[in-house]
Amino acid sequence: MAAFYPTYAALLLMFIVIYMERRRHKNAAVIRKIIEKRRNGEMTILLNGFEGKEVTLYTLNDSVTGRIVEINEGWVKIDSGKEISTVNLDYVIRVRERFAKKKD
């Protein structure tokens, strides 16, 4: 039975290496998309239509909700009412407009 432990350890190590390699490739793909968006200025053009509106910007790790105050080359300022946030457009993956609830 003890002879199988090195075999199990080798298999476990192989699966860990494969997992880490797949994760590295996934991260590289995300970085390629970010670089492509930066070259095209795609997000700056997209956000010009949302200036002054209530939006939610989703980034790789977080989301920010508020009114877009200013759009600069690669940056956007968002006023949430409590604070003003600055978001780097290279990391924005989704923009969603927030509509006010209608009062009857």
Side-chain angles (χ1 to χ4, degrees), residues 72-89:
N72 289 329
E73 182 82 23
W75 295 89
V76 63
K77 284 187 181 180
I78 297 181
D79 184 6
S80 65
K82 298 177 184 176
E83 63 184 8
I84 295 178
S85 302
T86 305
V87 178
N88 186 341
L89 292 179

Side-chain angles (χ1 to χ4, degrees), residues 9-103:
L11 286 174
L12 179 64
L13 181 63
M14 183 179 69
F15 285 123
I16 290 172
V17 168
I18 290 171
Y19 172 77
M20 290 175 60
E21 190 67 20
R22 289 187 68 191
R23 191 173 194 191
R24 187 177 66 83
H25 283 290
K26 183 180 177 182
N27 289 343
V30 169
I31 290 171
R32 279 193 302 272
K33 286 182 182 181
I34 289 170
I35 291 170
E36 181 181 322
K37 278 197 278 184
R38 183 184 302 163
R39 272 191 226 135
N40 297 337
E42 182 178 307
M43 279 308 226
T44 305
I45 294 168
L46 175 70
L47 283 176
N48 284 333
F50 289 100
E51 192 164 4
K53 296 182 180 180
E54 289 282 328
V55 298
T56 301
L57 290 179
Y58 297 93
T59 62
L60 294 173
N61 301 329
D62 199 10
S63 65
V64 180
T65 301
R67 185 176 57 85
I68 294 180
V69 178
E70 181 181 353
I71 301 171
N72 289 329
E73 182 82 23
W75 295 89
V76 63
K77 284 187 181 180
I78 297 181
D79 184 6
S80 65
K82 298 177 184 176
E83 63 184 8
I84 295 178
S85 302
T86 305
V87 178
N88 186 341
L89 292 179
D90 293 339
Y91 300 104
V92 173
I93 56 174
R94 181 178 177 201
V95 180
R96 181 176 177 190
E97 185 174 0
R98 298 180 51 89
F99 296 102
K101 293 182 181 178
K102 293 183 180 180
K103 295 182 181 180

